[in-house]
Amino acid sequence: MRLYFVRHGQTNLNHKRLLQGRFDAPLNNVGKRQAKQAGQTLKGLKVNYDKIVSSPLSRALETAHLIARKINYKENIFIEPKMIERDFGRFEMTTISDNFPKIMQPNFKDPGYEDDELILQRVNDGLISLHNKFANQNIVVAAHAHVIRSVYILMDKEKYNYTNFFLGNGSIHVFDFDGKNISLVATYLNEEN
């Protein structure tokens, strides 16, 4: 299975550098352009996409719909709840600069906060679920920064963590997944980052 993970386009909360987590914010105008550009990039790859999958949050779902239009995808978008963003608990809607250094420490725990172990297990379960449904298919997945970072970490926990690489809005991260092993195929950055 080849997975084309797309980080959703920008929201006003992204622009303000706030932790969104499960807060359901729509795309802003920049985010809509980023989603359309991601769709154009995917179209340019000349791949037959079998399915578009999305997190249930509106910023991802709107990104998925804008991509669908660009690649001329006519089927229903499949909602995968396991691809929802990390639950930041009481840190949602706070500034990244104030809280990221604290909550991104290894083994950080706080009531209501989805710690690294929990999100990694959830995303892994989501990948297996997608593989069980769509093995040997090309799947576009509109998701979130910490979901996509989790895929990188599941692939190589020695090389990647939640803070050591840039993952911009509208960026595309292509992985192969055989039900057990993950490998990175390509990345495509968005011009508006």
Side-chain angles (χ1 to χ4, degrees):
M1 176 173 66
R2 182 155 288 181
L3 296 155
Y4 296 78
F5 272 93
V6 181
R7 184 181 176 199
H8 64 80
Q10 185 187 84
T11 69
N12 286 337
L13 299 177
N14 289 137
H15 182 68
K16 293 176 183 174
R17 306 287 296 146
L18 296 175
L19 288 165
Q20 284 177 96
R22 305 282 174 88
F23 188 85
D24 203 7
L27 298 181
N28 62 20
N29 288 334
V30 170
K32 290 174 186 174
R33 284 196 308 270
Q34 289 169 330
K36 289 173 186 173
Q37 185 190 330
Q40 193 63 41
T41 300
L42 289 168
K43 182 179 179 180
L45 297 178
K46 308 264 192 261
V47 171
N48 178 32
Y49 300 101
D50 300 294
K51 201 72 179 166
I52 297 181
V53 173
S54 178
S55 152
L57 293 175
S58 63
R59 60 191 182 267
L61 196 52
E62 189 176 1
T63 298
H65 281 290
L66 290 168
I67 288 170
R69 283 190 209 123
K70 283 288 182 189
I71 64 172
N72 204 26
Y73 177 84
K74 303 291 188 197
E75 293 182 42
N76 289 333
I77 290 170
F78 181 84
I79 304 298
E80 176 48 72
K82 288 183 173 67
M83 293 297 144
I84 197 169
E85 181 58 298
R86 183 197 291 256
D87 189 339
F88 287 101
R90 66 188 176 97
F91 300 100
E92 290 193 4
M93 306 304 290
T94 65
T95 62
I96 290 172
S97 59
D98 287 344
N99 288 304
F100 229 54
K102 175 171 56 174
I103 66 176
M104 289 294 106
Q105 291 297 315
N107 305 313
F108 176 81
K109 303 225 185 263
D110 192 75
Y113 174 82
E114 186 177 25
D115 64 48
D116 293 357
E117 185 180 334
L118 290 173
I119 189 174
L120 287 168
Q121 184 61 57
R122 172 171 60 82
V123 171
N124 189 62
D125 291 347
L127 290 172
I128 291 168
S129 176
L130 290 175
H131 187 266
N132 290 341
K133 290 179 182 81
F134 309 119
N136 303 315
Q137 295 186 34
N138 295 310
I139 312 299
V140 175
V141 184
H144 307 271
H146 282 251
V147 170
I148 300 169
R149 288 180 190 278
S150 294
V151 177
Y152 276 95
I153 293 165
L154 290 165
M155 178 182 69
D156 187 347
K157 66 179 184 288
E158 301 303 318
K159 183 174 181 181
Y160 298 103
N161 64 47
Y162 288 101
T163 60
N164 71 349
F165 63 103
F166 180 69
L167 204 154
N169 292 101
S171 59
I172 302 167
H173 308 264
V174 186
F175 299 94
D176 281 339
F177 181 59
D178 65 6
K180 193 182 260 187
N181 301 299
I182 303 166
S183 58
L184 180 64
V185 177
T187 57
Y188 302 91
L189 300 180
N190 199 286
E191 292 168 10
E192 285 205 58
N193 277 310

